[in-house]
């Protein structure tokens, strides 16, 4: 069984932090936040295309106030919980009912911990009633991707190999959320070991996209994307090695944040690639992601890849203004390769940032194919090192997709791996040099809309649509926010990337954009055909 212990700690500690050291430390991790009048934002003019898209989105948003607790964001729920206007028990029950009603269509959850969630909800209710409110995550239900350890609840990595694996300890990030009052509601579907998918030959089916059951929700944090967009849970934590938080967020119309490498502990998370793995939040708003990051970020001496860097108050950074920020537009990554509707929507979103007062200038980095080739060489070698023993002793227990991808890693020579690490450092230095001019970068979140739910479709690894991937290789923070919908009603996303450890500026930009648009308010119709069978099980306790 692959170990969650990072036995390659020296490697994990070496590659990305050394790349960070290639630019001035003050530029890499520091930024200042000017105080601006947030009230001016909504009165600023929309670009023509942006205005048309806004009107379309507004017409499809919830027209009147809803008393459905599953429509509340983390921040909204937290404010009501603190005031005693709703209870954690009511909130958890509402989401469990949504899971019962919708998850037979979505296959988002592998395991639902309903009894444990209600037990913790009652405890939170008593604590809050007695004046012990713990802050923004207290009483809030959340899910985690099923490659993240949970004590007493199985962690399968969506694989037959770990179908009966029940950890005895929580991953560090799960324990952090619990200490802040968060309520784990279940474990979500993923690509097998966060890499082999989408797959139709595993013990559980792939998750489906809430916007269309004929489409997939991206991956590998696929269940998270489906669960958050489908209002089964207000927030979730995923892992991101080449875009696995941001891809599903992008094609499910939600927000996903990949923090800086080493910002969030990976202890207790099954590894995919030692030097590229990140953990990050997924939610419907940027504000919610800031709340979640505050709950899980911090140094962990027991994770060899963790970096001891102060964590800024990202909620305080959400000023509502981007006026004066300098933003580099990486347009060549999407202008030629993306669907035309994606290009138009991302261009409109960039225009909106300009209208809000940001100074946007086009810039150029290495082609996406360079980052893809470099990352693939590194990650395939590391993936093979993780799975070599099981591949030799239990090959039939892997799904076909992961088995073929792991086998390819065995062909990577040591000299290829070393050269790829050198190439990675050069690509990172080249990217970070642009932070001398810019506070952040923007580009597309994904180059297409959601992929079809088709076992015979072309393997996405053969496509150059991995626009989130460069920021895994460099290790700097990156965020996706919804910025439109295609003519077929599928979400489109904008990506914002920042300096290492400057999640605050990235979130600030995303929040200002989101305050001035309505894409995140749009809701799936939930008009799927009747389900055949519920796919999840109650937690093993």
């Amino acid at each position: 069984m692959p170990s969650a212990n990072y036995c390659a700690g020296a490697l994990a500690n070496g590659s990305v932090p050394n790349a960070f050291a290639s630019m001035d430390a003050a530029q890499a991790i520091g930024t200042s936040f000017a105080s601006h009048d947030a009230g001016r934002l909504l009165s600023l003019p929309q670009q023509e295309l942006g205005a048309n898209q806004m009107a379309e989105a507004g017409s499809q948003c919830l027209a009147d106030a809803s008393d459905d607790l599953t429509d509340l964001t983390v921040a909204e729920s937290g404010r009501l919980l603190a005031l005693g206007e709703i209870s954690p028990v009511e909130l958890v029950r509402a989401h469990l009912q949504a899971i019962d009603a919708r998850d037979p269509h979505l296959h988002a959850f592998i395991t639902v911990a309903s009894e444990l969630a209600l037990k913790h909800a009652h405890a939170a209710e008593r604590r809050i009633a007695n004046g012990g409110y713990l802050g923004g995550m207290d009483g809030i239900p959340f899910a985690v991707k099923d490659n993240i350890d949970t004590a007493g609840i199985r962690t399968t990595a969506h694989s037959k190999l770990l179908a009966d694996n029940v950890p005895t300890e929580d991953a560090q990030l799960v324990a952090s959320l619990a200490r802040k009052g968060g309520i784990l509601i279940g474990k979500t579907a993923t690509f097998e070991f966060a890499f082999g998918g989408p797959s139709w030959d595993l013990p559980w089916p792939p998750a489906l996209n809430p916007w269309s059951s004929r489409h997939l929700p991206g991956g590998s944090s696929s269940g998270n994307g489906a669960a958050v967009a489908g209002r089964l849970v207000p927030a979730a934590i995923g892992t991101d090695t080449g875009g696995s938080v941001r891809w599903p967020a992008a094609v499910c119309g939600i927000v996903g944040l990949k923090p800086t490498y080493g910002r969030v502990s990976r202890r207790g998370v099954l590894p995919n690639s030692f030097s590229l793995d990140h953990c990050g939040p997924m939610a419907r708003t940027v504000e919610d992601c800031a709340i979640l990051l505050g709950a899980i970020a911090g140094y962990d001496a027991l994770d060899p890849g963790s970096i001891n860097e102060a964590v800024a108050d990202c909620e305080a950074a959400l000023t509502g203004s981007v006026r004066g920020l300098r933003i580099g537009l990486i347009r060549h990554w999407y202008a030629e390769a993306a669907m035309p509707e994606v290009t138009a929507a991302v261009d409109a979103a960039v225009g909106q940032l300009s209208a809000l007062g940001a100074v946007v200038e086009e810039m150029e980095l290495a082609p996406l194919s360079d980052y893809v080739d470099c990352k693939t060489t590194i990650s395939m070698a590391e993936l093979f090192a993780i799975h070599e023993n099981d591949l030799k002793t239990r090959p039939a227990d892997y799904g076909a997709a992961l088995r073929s991808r792991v086998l390819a890693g065995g062909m990577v020579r040591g000299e290829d791996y070393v050269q790829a690490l050198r190439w990675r450092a050069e690509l990172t230095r080249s990217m970070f040099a642009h932070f001398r001019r810019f506070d952040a970068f923007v580009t597309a979140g994904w180059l297409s809309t959601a992929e079809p739910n088709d076992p015979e479709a072309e393997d996405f690894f053969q496509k150059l649509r991995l626009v989130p991937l460069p920021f895994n290789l460099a290790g700097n923070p990156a965020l996706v926010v919804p910025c439109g919908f295609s003519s077929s009603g599928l979400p489109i996303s904008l990506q914002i990337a920042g300096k290492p450890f400057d999640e605050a500026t990235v979130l600030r930009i995303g929040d200002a954009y989101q305050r001035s648009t309505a894409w995140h308010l749009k809701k799936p119709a939930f008009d799927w055909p009747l389900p055949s069978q519920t796919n999840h099980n109650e937690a093993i306790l």
Side-chain angles (χ1 to χ4, degrees):
M1 183 181 77
S3 170
N5 295 321
Y6 286 84
C7 56
L11 170 64
N13 272 327
S15 301
V16 175
N18 286 344
F20 289 170
S22 67
M23 66 180 291
D24 182 80
Q27 290 181 326
I29 64 173
T31 191
S32 61
F33 303 105
S35 177
H36 297 289
D37 180 7
R40 298 177 59 196
L41 291 177
L42 294 178
S43 65
L44 287 169
Q46 305 282 329
Q47 278 201 326
E48 182 178 356
L49 178 59
N52 292 339
Q53 290 176 317
M54 278 280 288
E56 178 189 351
S59 70
Q60 300 182 66
C61 292
L62 296 175
D64 36 63
S66 170
D67 58 3
D68 185 350
L69 295 182
T70 67
D71 284 330
L72 295 173
T73 66
V74 171
E76 290 166 346
S77 296
R79 287 188 279 268
L80 293 173
L81 287 165
L83 293 171
E85 295 186 12
I86 62 172
S87 80
V89 175
E90 292 172 328
L91 192 61
V92 167
R93 280 183 175 154
H95 285 93
L96 288 173
Q97 289 169 1
I99 292 170
D100 285 342
R102 300 172 193 157
D103 201 46
H105 307 271
L106 295 177
H107 312 310
F109 281 88
I110 289 179
T111 302
V112 179
S114 54
E115 291 185 11
L116 186 63
L118 285 169
K119 175 184 176 181
H120 289 161
H122 281 288
E125 185 175 62
R126 292 190 295 271
R127 181 177 61 250
I128 293 171
N130 291 326
Y133 181 63
L134 299 175
M137 281 302 297
D138 198 2
I140 303 293
F142 69 94
V144 296
K145 186 175 178 178
D146 204 30
N147 63 339
I148 299 173
D149 280 352
T150 44
I153 303 172
R154 66 179 178 176
T155 298
T156 71
H158 210 124
S159 178
K160 183 178 179 181
L161 272 83
L162 297 182
D164 299 315
N165 173 49
V166 181
T168 58
E169 295 183 4
D170 283 331
Q172 175 65 14
L173 66 85
V174 175
S176 295
L177 285 164
R179 285 194 296 270
K180 295 180 172 61
I183 298 172
L184 177 67
I185 206 167
K187 310 293 292 295
T188 55
T190 173
F191 290 176
E192 187 176 18
F193 285 101
F195 198 75
S199 298
W200 288 262
D201 60 349
L202 300 176
W204 305 271
L208 298 178
N209 197 308
W211 296 96
S212 166
S213 61
R214 297 184 301 275
H215 292 82
L216 296 166
S220 61
S221 303
S222 48
N224 283 353
V228 174
R231 270 54 172 187
L232 308 186
V233 69
I237 305 296
T239 61
D240 192 314
T241 304
S244 293
V245 161
R246 289 160 292 151
W247 175 17
V251 301
C252 289
I254 63 171
V255 179
L257 172 67
K258 180 196 77 67
T260 306
Y261 180 87
R263 171 66 87 194
V264 176
S265 174
R266 303 167 305 171
R267 177 159 54 98
V269 178
L270 293 166
N272 180 334
S273 175
F274 300 115
S275 68
L276 292 161
D277 290 344
H278 302 64
C279 301
M282 302 169 72
R284 296 203 305 275
T285 69
V286 175
E287 181 184 19
D288 286 358
C289 280
I291 293 169
L292 285 155
L293 180 65
I296 62 175
Y299 177 61
D300 178 9
L302 298 181
D303 173 5
S306 184
I307 298 174
N308 192 2
E309 188 66 45
V311 180
D313 183 348
C314 290
E315 291 181 71
L318 306 183
T319 63
S321 175
V322 294
R323 188 166 298 279
L325 288 179
R326 298 187 64 85
I327 298 176
L329 170 61
I330 316 172
R331 192 172 188 274
H332 69 99
W333 280 357
Y334 67 87
E336 296 180 2
M339 291 172 53
E341 288 180 298
V342 171
T343 299
V346 174
D347 284 348
V350 173
Q352 178 64 11
L353 290 174
S354 295
L356 294 174
V359 179
V360 181
E361 297 178 16
E362 200 161 331
M363 56 175 280
E364 190 165 333
L365 292 174
L368 269 179
S369 57
D370 283 8
Y371 294 93
V372 172
D373 291 346
C374 181
K375 183 267 179 186
T376 300
T377 303
I378 294 169
S379 64
M380 295 302 291
E382 295 182 2
L383 186 74
F384 183 79
I386 292 164
H387 289 275
E388 181 179 10
N389 183 64
D390 282 330
L391 191 63
K392 290 176 177 177
T393 59
R394 302 176 60 187
D397 288 342
Y398 284 95
L402 182 60
R403 185 168 58 244
S404 64
R405 291 170 192 168
V406 174
L407 282 169
M411 303 298 291
V412 178
R413 303 177 305 166
E415 51 265 47
D416 296 329
Y417 180 74
V418 171
Q419 292 290 4
L421 292 177
R422 296 177 64 188
W423 192 11
R424 175 186 191 173
E426 180 54 38
L427 288 169
T428 301
R429 279 193 293 269
S430 177
M431 177 188 290
F432 286 2
H434 289 271
F435 283 128
R436 298 189 181 98
R437 292 179 55 211
F438 298 112
D439 299 298
F441 307 147
V442 293
T443 190
W446 194 248
L447 300 186
S448 68
T449 52
E451 303 286 336
N453 177 23
D454 180 4
E456 304 304 320
E458 181 185 3
D459 187 340
F460 81 89
F461 277 99
Q462 305 302 316
K463 305 174 184 179
L464 287 180
R465 289 183 176 170
L466 304 178
V467 70
L469 184 151
F471 306 119
N472 290 85
L473 206 63
N476 52 320
L479 176 82
V480 296
V481 295
C483 70
F485 284 80
S486 70
S487 57
S488 58
L490 295 173
I492 298 170
S493 187
L494 173 73
Q495 185 171 199
I496 305 159
K499 301 172 184 177
F501 302 106
D502 192 13
E503 289 85 3
T505 296
V506 171
L507 290 163
R508 173 185 170 186
I509 295 168
D511 175 67
Y513 175 77
Q514 202 161 58
R515 292 191 198 196
S516 69
T517 58
W519 305 116
H520 62 293
L521 300 178
K522 193 174 177 182
K523 181 178 178 179
F526 304 138
D527 56 355
W528 312 293
L530 288 174
S532 56
Q533 184 178 348
T534 301
N535 70 299
H536 58 71
N537 300 104
E538 175 58 41
I540 299 171
L541 298 174

